Amino acid sequence: MIWNEEIECINRKELEEIQLKHLKNAVERAYNNVPFYRERFDKIGLRPEHIKTLKDIEKIPFTTKDDLRDNYPYKMFACPLKKIVRLHASSGTTGKPIVAGYTRKDLDIWSECVARIIVAAGGREDDLAQIVFGYGMFTGGFGLHYGLEKVGITVIPSSSGNSERQLMLMQDFGATIVVGTPSYVMYLSEIAEELGIPKKNFKLRLGLFGGEGHTESMGKELEERWGILATSNYGLTEVIGPGVSGECIYQDGMHFCEDHFYPEIIDPETGETKGYGEEGELVITTLTKEGTPMLRYRTKDITVLNPEPCKCGRTSLRMGKVLGRTDDMIIVKGVNVFPSQIESVLLETEHIGPHYQIVVRREGYMDSLEVMVELANRELVDNFRALESLEENIRHKLRTVLQIDAKVRLVEPKTLERFTGKAKRVIDLRKQE
Ligand code: DLL
């Protein structure tokens, strides 16, 4: 089944005409309403009317996460706040988040795009979907919620955490779809196992996973454990949230909602445009977004675009798995974590030095984050009570800033590795899978 056959199976030439029309509007709106874009354009003598073909998009300067941070909270908005009906946010490199504003039309388009992805993955009106993404400023919970409702699927908005209760609801309500990060859903299966709940108590048949990627082996494991089809869908707060692209039942790349989001692949070093099938950084331009339009937003996600038609009949470009990121952001349990956030907590805490190391592991199927930090001197080394309370204090502050739990380990002075070149603070042991 295809949610919006007219657009999802459109011939490429017709699609390009629609994209060009939308692009011209988007550029004009951004130029006229957001001083940031106007200044960028004026500086290089670019005017909206210079965008005559899709290829002309390459004349537009890139937008980066730093630009959004510099314009926090509302300066990237292209319409007055009274037109904005929802705000979402995601963590940035400093304490300040990245803000996204949605008009009523943006919300309609958002749920339309998410609906396409749900149906492509095999979601149907008679399904019951349990959302185990966190609700709140994160776009995952609300984003999937409204898309599922649009399809007519019964939503169980249980949100994340309280895993035993999740499992109870999942059994009692007979959920057929689970929506969440792959690592959390894997963790849920471990808990179900520990509790001795037999597999037959669950009716799940489909997993809609996103917010982070999953390897093929992790996908297979999820499929076996739950008896589901494990699909991935992609998005980011800056662009809209989930709904940018998603896998169909053939699990062979994520179909891009190209009439709303225009993708490009660039060389992250030179900024030059790369061709289909070539690996590079994904850059997205929002074609219809009213609240916070993004022109050539650099996602920092490394991937490839595949133009081959898909077995499912959709004609959209398919995005490959995210192969990595160009910055130091790590995703732990679906939450974006920047080493700089951890550093800022450590640096403002007494009795510890500036040397630290972050270790990310996958324990079973759950991510874990450990922060090792050196004591500033030997003063506290033998004082167990003081060490315990210092660890607790750091743990608490990290939880407040990162919104996830980290293990904290204090180590003796001068025991962590020192660097002569760039410091490598993050050891991501998950990459060795
Ligand atoms: O994670 C939006 C989302 C929520 C997408 C739920 C899908 C489902 P942010 O918190 O802003 O937004 O994080 C965006 O997460 O740049 C990628 O690095 C990563 N990411 C998201 N989905 C995937 C995926 C949401 N399916 C950042 N595969 C992005 C790989 C993903 N990485």
Side-chain angles (χ1 to χ4, degrees), residues 165-345:
R165 190 178 148 82
Q166 295 277 9
L167 293 168
M168 180 189 79
L169 297 178
M170 207 175 262
Q171 295 172 81
D172 294 352
F173 293 176
T176 56
I177 300 180
V178 61
V179 182
T181 58
S183 49
Y184 185 48
V185 176
M186 186 60 92
Y187 182 50
L188 283 176
S189 88
E190 287 179 332
I191 298 177
E193 221 173 70
E194 273 166 32
L195 295 172
I197 307 173
K199 209 169 147 183
K200 67 168 176 36
N201 284 17
F202 297 103
K203 294 207 174 65
L204 292 182
R205 61 170 199 88
L206 174 63
L208 295 170
F209 300 123
E212 63 184 4
H214 59 261
T215 56
E216 217 175 302
S217 60
M218 172 112 162
K220 289 237 161 67
E221 183 72 30
L222 281 162
E223 295 190 332
E224 272 166 33
R225 281 177 176 246
W226 288 108
I228 56 173
L229 181 81
T231 63
S232 185
N233 63 85
Y234 167 90
L236 59 164
T237 314
E238 296 90 320
V239 167
I240 198 154
V244 173
S245 66
E247 279 181 344
C248 67
I249 53 168
Y250 296 105
Q251 299 164 296
D252 189 16
M254 299 185 273
H255 289 275
F256 228 87
C257 290
E258 284 180 273
D259 50 330
H260 298 292
F261 311 107
Y262 186 83
E264 295 171 85
I265 295 288
I266 61 156
D267 178 326
E269 303 289 331
T270 63
E272 266 166 48
T273 308
K274 291 188 137 194
Y276 291 145
E278 286 187 292
E279 209 175 292
E281 181 180 346
L282 178 68
V283 169
I284 302 178
T285 297
T286 59
L287 295 175
T288 51
K289 195 131 174 262
E290 294 181 331
T292 37
M294 289 294 131
L295 299 184
R296 300 196 89 203
Y297 183 73
R298 291 186 65 155
T299 65
K300 301 197 172 185
D301 290 317
I302 303 289
T303 187
V304 287
L305 292 175
N306 175 6
E308 299 296 319
C310 181
K311 275 187 275 185
C312 70
R314 290 174 183 81
T315 52
S316 44
L317 290 176
R318 277 174 287 155
M319 170 185 157
K321 278 192 187 303
V322 173
L323 303 165
R325 291 186 45 91
T326 61
D327 65 2
D328 59 358
M329 184 177 94
I330 39 180
I331 300 182
V332 183
K333 299 178 196 165
V335 176
N336 304 348
V337 174
F338 289 90
S340 50
Q341 291 175 298
I342 296 177
E343 189 172 295
S344 64
V345 166

Side-chain angles (χ1 to χ4, degrees), residues 29 77-79 84 101 103-106 288-293:
R29 258 199 329 268
F77 284 37
C79 57
I84 299 290
T103 63
R104 202 166 288 285
K105 187 172 156 216
D106 291 335
T288 51
K289 195 131 174 262
E290 294 181 331
T292 37

Side-chain angles (χ1 to χ4, degrees), residues 37-48:
Y37 287 120
R38 178 184 286 259
E39 278 159 30
R40 280 280 165 98
F41 274 51
D42 287 350
K43 209 160 137 198
I44 55 165
L46 183 66
R47 300 206 31 99

